[in-house]
Amino acid sequence: MLLFSNGPGAAAKLRRLSPRLLFVPAALVFFSIVLLGRNTSFSSRRSFFSFFGGACPPTPDSQPPSPNAIPNQVHFVHIFNNGVTDFDFQFKHFLSIYATHHYWRPDAIYLHTNADEAAIERAQTEGTGKGGKTNKWNKLIFNSVPNLRVNRVEVPKTAGNGMAINVIEHKSDFVRTEVVRKMGGVYLDFDAHALRDVSPLRECGFAAIFGRQLHGQINNGVFFSRKYSLLLNRWWEEMNKVYNGGWTTHGNGVLTWLGPRLAGMAGGEVLILEQDALNPGSWEVEDNIKLFGLHNETASNLPATFKDGDPLPTYLDTNEERWTLVRDKKKHPAWERDYSSTWVLHAFDPVRNRDPVPGFKHITPRYVFERKSNFARAVYPVAKAMYDAGLVKADDLYKGED
């Protein structure tokens, strides 16, 4: 948010102002800062600078969340097509869902699925998944993610206009919109990874929060909303009217048209964040390479031999380090991207666009722990927390994923 405008002649006008006139606002700002510092205890996650320059002022720790806050609950959708109902979660899915627990401590994490009860029970009790195989990540997701709640949903076959919905991703679009509209909270695709606490966003008074993606469209892979917010209600109505089988017509297309029209309404209906906030990269090959590409010239974070119980390094980057123009090249090589302004990293999967990144196949524990890519460095704190909790073992570092 811009606080001042340095337009033509601004300096000259300022010089012509009386010193007495300049003293009054300066004094008011000074005494406001003093009073705030004496009477208010702010959370460590909220900075002095965000109070003056951010979209949302912080709230004192001693006060409960505003009743207008977006609920602290998370929604994931995992639905099946063509009669397949056995889960086949991978490490990357566990990494995404566990990150919300690690940073957000939500009241509930919902997994919305159309899997039958037998498949859910197999995954919960034995970790059994696709083809009857025991799947460690199935078992961990269903048993080691605090406050996980499985919600069985009916997947729509047609939109409100009678058009058949055949694409599984489109069915997910309809499910996610409906469940968040009715329940409120934060929706995440499984390729989206929390990087920090989002309570300042949830509690800043907006009824819905979305972010832009490459080329300016509003993305629906990560979004926040209160129950029955105006934007979610209107989105639900419009997507059922306009659905035509187009890839983004009913989702990003409707949001990009509707969001800005509601953003200017009184009462804080919609906050639209810049691209870096939620979708800093894209699905395009160049961005895939920048995010997932391996930098083998960088030393591995793992020692030559590694066994359970061996400590993993901790990296606590401070704001002061990030603000220093001359960086420590060992800690922050030239290729490393700074995600200081990113709340959620929507990491568009390069495998899906059939343009694999050279040297990269899967998001595995070893890939993350070695910290040789931007993605690995961004999500490393969560992976380390899982290792420290005994959820990821040293043996997992040497297993591939087909």
Side-chain angles (χ1 to χ4, degrees):
M1 181 173 71
L2 295 176
L3 299 181
F4 303 97
S5 175
N6 297 321
K13 293 177 183 178
L14 187 61
R15 287 194 295 269
R16 289 198 297 268
L17 288 175
S18 165
R20 294 180 180 179
L21 291 178
L22 291 174
F23 172 80
V24 174
L28 287 173
V29 170
F30 174 80
F31 285 112
S32 296
I33 294 173
V34 172
L35 289 173
L36 282 171
R38 292 181 59 188
N39 299 325
T40 306
S41 173
F42 292 103
S43 166
S44 60
R45 66 175 178 261
R46 300 180 176 98
S47 70
F48 169 86
F49 294 98
S50 69
F51 181 79
F52 285 92
C56 311
T59 55
D61 279 343
S62 58
Q63 295 182 3
S66 164
N68 291 326
I70 292 169
N72 188 19
Q73 52 191 22
V74 187
H75 303 272
F76 290 88
V77 173
H78 192 75
I79 58 177
F80 299 91
N81 221 352
N82 303 322
V84 178
T85 59
D86 273 317
F87 294 95
D88 189 28
F89 284 122
Q90 299 172 27
F91 171 69
K92 63 183 180 181
H93 301 109
F94 183 45
L95 188 64
S96 172
I97 199 168
Y98 197 84
T100 64
H101 159 70
H102 179 72
Y103 288 116
W104 302 351
R105 294 296 194 266
D107 300 322
I109 300 174
Y110 288 95
L111 177 61
H112 304 281
T113 182
N114 63 337
D116 59 39
E117 292 181 1
I120 294 171
E121 184 176 358
R122 287 194 296 273
Q124 288 174 328
T125 57
E126 301 296 332
T128 305
K130 188 176 180 181
K133 297 178 181 178
T134 299
N135 182 320
K136 172 177 180 171
W137 310 116
N138 280 358
K139 196 168 185 177
L140 283 175
I141 285 176
F142 282 102
N143 294 284
S144 301
V145 177
N147 297 326
L148 180 73
R149 302 178 187 178
V150 181
N151 179 44
R152 294 194 66 233
V153 294
E154 292 292 329
V155 177
K157 296 180 180 178
T158 59
N161 60 8
M163 183 79 176
I165 308 174
N166 297 317
V167 180
I168 191 69
E169 290 85 355
H170 293 172
K171 293 179 179 181
S172 174
D173 290 337
F174 278 82
V175 171
R176 73 185 66 174
T177 308
E178 185 173 27
V179 296
V180 178
R181 185 175 74 93
K182 290 181 177 179
M183 302 175 69
V186 186
Y187 170 79
L188 293 177
D189 278 350
F190 267 107
D191 61 0
H193 299 264
L195 297 188
R196 54 182 44 86
D197 183 15
V198 294
S199 59
L201 291 178
R202 290 190 303 96
E203 297 171 10
C204 71
F206 285 90
I209 302 172
F210 285 75
R212 293 197 183 274
Q213 65 178 26
L214 183 68
H215 307 312
Q217 272 202 332
I218 294 176
N219 182 273
N220 75 340
V222 182
F223 62 90
F224 306 60
S225 179
R226 296 203 296 256
K227 290 196 298 185
Y228 298 109
S229 69
L230 180 58
L231 178 56
L232 268 288
N233 285 338
R234 290 297 308 276
W235 181 20
W236 178 249
E237 294 171 3
E238 293 297 326
M239 72 190 306
N240 275 281
K241 291 178 183 177
V242 305
Y243 183 73
N244 60 4
W247 187 248
T248 62
T249 305
H250 59 288
N252 298 352
V254 170
L255 289 168
T256 304
W257 171 79
L258 189 59
R261 286 160 176 77
L262 300 184
M265 293 182 63
E269 286 294 339
V270 183
L271 174 64
I272 302 172
L273 301 174
E274 63 181 3
Q275 183 185 340
D276 275 359
L278 305 177
N279 309 284
S282 80
W283 53 91
E284 293 189 350
V285 176
E286 183 179 356
D287 284 329
N288 286 162
I289 293 173
K290 288 179 181 178
L291 180 60
F292 293 105
L294 288 165
H295 294 270
N296 290 318
E297 73 279 9
T298 300
S300 172
N301 182 61
L302 288 173
T305 60
F306 187 79
K307 62 183 184 300
D308 283 330
D310 289 350
L312 284 169
T314 298
Y315 298 92
L316 297 175
D317 294 335
T318 64
N319 286 334
E320 287 77 10
E321 287 177 337
R322 290 294 186 179
W323 294 340
T324 302
L325 292 177
V326 180
R327 299 192 300 176
D328 182 339
K329 293 183 179 180
K330 290 184 179 179
K331 289 186 65 176
H332 306 294
W335 57 262
E336 183 188 60
R337 177 163 180 171
D338 181 3
Y339 289 108
S340 298
S341 62
T342 301
W343 301 85
V344 177
L345 172 58
H346 192 176
F348 298 91
D349 193 338
V351 176
R352 296 188 62 181
N353 67 17
R354 298 181 182 180
D355 290 300
V357 176
F360 170 78
K361 292 183 178 179
H362 303 288
I363 298 169
T364 64
R366 185 177 186 85
Y367 169 80
V368 173
F369 286 139
E370 287 200 315
R371 297 185 78 245
K372 289 187 175 184
S373 71
N374 277 303
F375 178 83
R377 291 191 171 213
V379 302
Y380 175 80
V382 175
K384 181 182 182 299
M386 295 191 298
Y387 171 77
D388 291 342
L391 301 174
V392 176
K393 304 288 187 180
D395 284 349
D396 296 319
L397 304 183
Y398 305 99
K399 294 177 182 177
E401 295 180 7
D402 297 328

